[in-house]
């Protein structure tokens, strides 16, 4: 392993006596983790059914290390049931540090592919709204899939540059997360291509991008709101100095403390330009101090402002529920919280819009609200996202297979599946589950389940 020369020279000075310890990290493998989706299953219940031996990540209560030589969590049916997200352990820190309260309106500006958004959404626990944005449309598609897999309905997925967001969302958010594009020095062990990218781009390019994003983010935060800034790099220019930049452009923003795991380092005032002692409130995770690849985190709060008057909310296009949809929704329990007066129709596609959705008019949207399904000629076809959103006791026609039943894999591969004689399931739409956790839809015809699993989500091998 050869580090980029300019990086090696800088990190040698930055780390001093610790340089050799840092370099030794490259002799061992990176850490692998999963984070439990607490909006679907409690950590306690997951540990009872976990197919993997797990070791807790000490700074995140729902994060665990697994041995990647023994297990492939992305191939297990519980992955398809959205029970966990596969995430590098230090990357679990930002969303765990940002305290989310019920009813919060939250923005994740650089969200794809959704490692942090899925946790922010789980922490909202079905209340409030999450707006998840990524400037890259193709990456935003992966973000949407991950949020849907997690069963999230109170969300909107957007693909816009931050200056367009700030025109629409001035003073809108209780919480904002900026997991900024960065030079990725904490990813060197994961992939040597990150070193090549570092050599090509350096740190300045990203420092510029970060300042642009921070500038727009401040405008969108409500008075009293909190903003979390994170990178997966160690460069002072992108870490302490980006923090100093934000403090310099908006004097209503100040750094706040957050609980730190004992092996996290404090931010270093000496690595800033101003020497601001407040920078110790930030945190840097070094791979030679913690079992993770590395991250930097800063938490800000905006001062209260008595003149604040709120922002506009979503304006509905009215929809008169179609008969086929009404016939279907009768099978869904009221506890799922889908109110027919908050449904919007667009070319036959129905969306449930949660309360508190901000006005998203004019933005490039990949999804607003929960996609319920499509009204086609004389029938309603429920969506994959609705199946993932529901709990198994919220639909009145359910079949649940054990995780090791071969029919689970067949179902996930898109094949037809047969019920056993003693499985008394009504004809029509069935919510197919693994160990009681929904995977998708099928249509039962006298014991034969016609597969309705979303084709783009099928298990490949
Ligand atoms: C570090 S990654 C985000 C990872 C993500 N938060 C997660 O946990 O899965 C940074 C993301 O920022 C996006 N990005 C780059 N420039 C951006 C900009 N100006 N505004 C919004 N997103 C941007 C990139 O497309 C990339 O997906």
């Amino acid at each position: 392993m050869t580090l980029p020369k300019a990086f090696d020279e800088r990190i040698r000075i930055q780390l001093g006596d610790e340089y050799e310890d840092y370099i030794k990290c490259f002799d061992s493998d990176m850490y692998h983790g999963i984070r439990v989706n607490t909006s679907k299953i409690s950590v306690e219940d997951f540990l009872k059914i976990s197919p993997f031996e797990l070791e807790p990540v000490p700074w995140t209560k729902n994060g665990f290390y697994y041995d990647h030589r023994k297990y492939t969590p992305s191939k297990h049916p519980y992955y398809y049931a959205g029970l966990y997200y596969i995430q590098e352990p230090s990357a679990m820190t930002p969303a765990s540090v940002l305290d989310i309260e019920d009813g919060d309106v939250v923005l994740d500006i650089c969200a794809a592919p959704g490692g942090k958004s899925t946790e922010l959404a789980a922490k909202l626990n079905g209340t409030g709204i999450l707006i998840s944005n990524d400037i890259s449309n193709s990456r935003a598609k992966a973000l949407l899939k991950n949020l849907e897999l997690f069963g999230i309905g109170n969300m909107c997925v957007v693909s816009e540059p931050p200056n367009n967001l700030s025109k629409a969302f001035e003073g809108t958010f209780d919480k904002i997360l900026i997991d900024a594009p960065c030079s990725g020095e904490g990813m060197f062990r994961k992939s040597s291509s990150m070193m090549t990218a570092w050599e090509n781009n350096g740190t300045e390019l990203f420092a510029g991008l970060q300042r642009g994003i921070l500038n727009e983010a401040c405008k969108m935060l409500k008075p009293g709101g909190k903003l979390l800034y994170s990178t997966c790099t160690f460069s002072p220019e992108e870490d302490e100095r980006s923090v100093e930049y934000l403090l310099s452009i908006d004097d209503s923003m100040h750094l706040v403390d957050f609980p730190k795991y004992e092996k996290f380092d404090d931010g270093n005032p000496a690595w800033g330009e101003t020497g601001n002692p407040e920078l110790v409130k930030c945190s840097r995770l070094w791979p030679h101090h913690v079992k993770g690849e590395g991250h930097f985190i800063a938490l800000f709060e905006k001062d209260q402002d008595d003149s604040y008057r709120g922002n506009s909310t979503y304006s509905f296009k009215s929809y008169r529920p179609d008969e086929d949809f009404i016939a279907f929704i009768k099978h869904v329990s009221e506890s799922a919280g889908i109110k027919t007066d908050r449904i919007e129709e667009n070319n036959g596609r129905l969306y449930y819009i949660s309360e508190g959705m901000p006005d998203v008019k004019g933005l490039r949207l990949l999804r607003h609200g929960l996609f319920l399904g499509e009204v086609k000629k004389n029938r309603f076809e429920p969506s994959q996202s609705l199946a993932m959103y529901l709990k198994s006791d919220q639909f009145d026609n359910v079949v649940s297979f054990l995780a090791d039943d071969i029919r689970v894999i067949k179902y996930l591969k898109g094949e037809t599946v047969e019920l056993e004689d003693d499985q008394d399931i009504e004809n029509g739409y069935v919510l197919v589950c693994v160990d009681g956790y929904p995977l998708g839809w099928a249509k039962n015809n006298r014991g034969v389940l016609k597969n309705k699993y979303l084709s783009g989500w099928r298990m490949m091998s």
Side-chain angles (χ1 to χ4, degrees):
M1 181 276 316
T2 313
L3 292 171
K5 190 165 172 287
F7 169 76
D8 189 56
E9 283 169 7
R10 192 204 80 220
I11 205 84
R12 201 182 273 272
I13 297 168
Q14 200 175 346
L15 281 172
D17 293 348
E18 294 186 14
Y19 172 77
E20 294 301 334
D21 292 343
Y22 168 74
I23 291 296
K24 266 192 218 128
C25 292
F26 289 93
D27 295 339
S28 43
D29 278 353
M30 68 168 283
Y31 291 98
H32 294 258
I34 59 168
R35 203 194 65 239
V36 176
N37 177 1
T38 53
S39 70
K40 281 189 182 275
I41 186 168
S42 68
V43 169
E44 200 185 7
D45 286 346
F46 183 76
L47 291 177
K48 285 183 197 148
I49 61 167
S50 173
F52 326 115
E53 285 164 65
L54 298 173
E55 182 198 328
V57 172
W59 54 88
T60 307
K61 57 185 184 314
N62 54 335
F64 297 89
Y65 300 98
Y66 69 90
D67 184 343
H68 70 285
R69 288 157 303 196
K70 259 170 119 173
Y71 305 113
T72 312
S74 61
K75 298 225 160 119
H76 195 278
Y78 291 164
Y79 175 78
Y80 290 79
L83 297 194
Y84 49 80
Y85 190 93
I86 300 166
Q87 190 173 37
E88 186 280 301
S90 58
M92 295 175 186
T93 322
S96 83
V97 162
L98 187 58
D99 50 325
I100 301 292
E101 289 161 76
D102 281 2
D104 273 351
V105 181
V106 181
L107 171 67
D108 186 357
I109 303 187
C110 308
K116 282 125 199 146
S117 267
T118 45
E119 175 65 1
L120 296 174
K123 284 170 84 170
L124 278 170
N125 204 13
T127 72
I129 296 286
L130 172 70
I131 307 275
S132 262
N133 176 70
D134 202 280
I135 199 166
S136 152
N137 198 263
S138 59
R139 287 176 61 83
K141 285 182 186 152
L143 166 66
L144 172 61
K145 180 187 168 178
N146 281 323
L147 285 167
E148 292 192 329
L149 190 60
F150 252 51
I152 308 305
N154 49 336
M155 55 94 167
C156 186
V157 176
V158 188
S159 182
E160 288 285 359
N163 60 331
N164 283 354
L165 295 177
S166 68
K167 282 180 206 136
F169 294 136
E170 193 183 336
T172 298
F173 297 102
D174 299 291
K175 308 283 155 62
I176 295 182
L177 189 135
I178 305 174
D179 187 35
C182 70
S183 59
E185 294 168 359
M187 308 277 276
F188 285 177
R189 192 158 59 163
K190 184 173 177 187
S191 146
S192 57
S193 65
M194 293 305 299
M195 295 194 216
T196 315
W198 193 99
E199 279 184 308
N200 293 337
N201 300 320
T203 57
E204 261 172 48
L205 168 82
F206 294 102
L209 280 175
Q210 290 152 4
R211 282 153 181 70
I213 297 168
L214 284 163
N215 211 355
E216 302 304 329
C218 283
K219 302 176 194 165
M220 294 186 270
L221 194 63
K222 269 185 196 164
K226 285 193 177 148
L227 183 153
L228 191 138
Y229 173 78
S230 64
T231 70
C232 60
T233 207
F234 311 119
S235 121
E237 201 175 2
E238 299 172 69
D239 294 344
E240 279 85 352
R241 292 183 205 164
S242 282
V243 168
E244 287 179 320
Y245 171 77
L246 179 58
L247 295 172
S248 76
I249 57 163
D250 188 338
D251 56 16
S252 70
M253 298 289 286
H254 52 272
L255 283 167
V256 286
D257 286 309
F258 52 87
K260 292 179 183 174
Y261 171 57
E262 57 194 17
K263 293 186 178 164
F264 289 180
D265 281 39
D266 291 339
N268 189 342
W271 293 342
E273 274 170 342
T274 60
N276 183 344
E278 291 279 291
L279 287 167
V280 294
K281 292 181 175 169
C282 308
S283 239
R284 191 179 270 97
L285 282 65
W286 286 107
H288 57 290
H289 289 174
V290 301
K291 286 163 71 175
E293 301 310 297
H295 243 73
F296 175 86
I297 291 152
L299 184 62
F300 301 87
E301 190 168 29
K302 194 175 206 170
D303 292 338
Q304 291 290 355
D305 176 357
D306 294 340
S307 64
Y308 176 70
R309 291 287 167 268
N311 205 333
S312 55
T313 51
Y314 198 84
S315 46
F316 267 92
K317 291 186 214 141
S318 64
Y319 161 68
R320 203 156 52 84
D322 174 278
E323 272 173 36
D324 301 309
F325 173 68
I326 292 175
F328 176 86
I329 207 74
K330 281 187 182 143
H331 297 276
V332 175
S333 149
E334 275 185 21
S335 67
I338 298 168
K339 299 182 194 109
T340 43
D341 61 346
R342 295 197 62 86
I343 290 176
E344 200 167 88
E345 188 255 356
N346 192 350
N347 285 328
R349 290 163 72 90
L350 304 187
Y351 299 86
Y352 174 68
I353 314 290
S354 296
E355 263 163 66
M357 180 70 81
D359 192 353
V360 290
K361 252 196 313 288
L363 294 174
R364 191 155 58 142
L365 300 174
L366 282 84
R367 180 73 81 244
H368 63 298
L370 169 65
F371 173 43
L372 297 169
E374 257 181 286
V375 180
K376 297 203 166 155
K377 264 188 243 144
N378 303 325
R379 64 182 200 278
F380 173 74
E381 283 192 0
S383 69
Q384 182 66 35
S385 48
L386 177 60
M388 302 313 291
Y389 170 83
L390 294 174
K391 308 274 185 285
S392 59
D393 61 0
Q394 292 175 335
F395 196 70
D396 66 5
N397 202 26
V398 171
V399 62
S400 185
F401 299 117
L402 297 175
D404 59 3
D405 188 324
I406 188 68
R407 288 175 293 182
V408 173
I409 303 297
K410 286 177 121 192
Y411 174 73
L412 291 172
K413 288 186 169 176
E415 295 172 23
T416 298
V417 164
E418 291 192 14
L419 297 175
E420 273 144 30
D421 294 343
D422 60 349
Q423 283 180 300
D424 189 18
I425 309 290
E426 295 287 314
N427 280 343
Y429 275 106
V430 185
L431 187 60
V432 180
C433 302
V434 56
D435 289 334
Y437 298 98
L439 291 171
W441 299 108
K443 223 166 173 185
N444 181 31
N445 184 8
R446 287 179 285 172
V448 178
L449 297 185
K450 188 171 173 206
N451 200 305
K452 295 282 175 185
Y453 191 61
L454 186 65
S455 56
W457 286 24
R458 279 183 196 157
M459 189 181 251
M460 285 309 184
S461 56

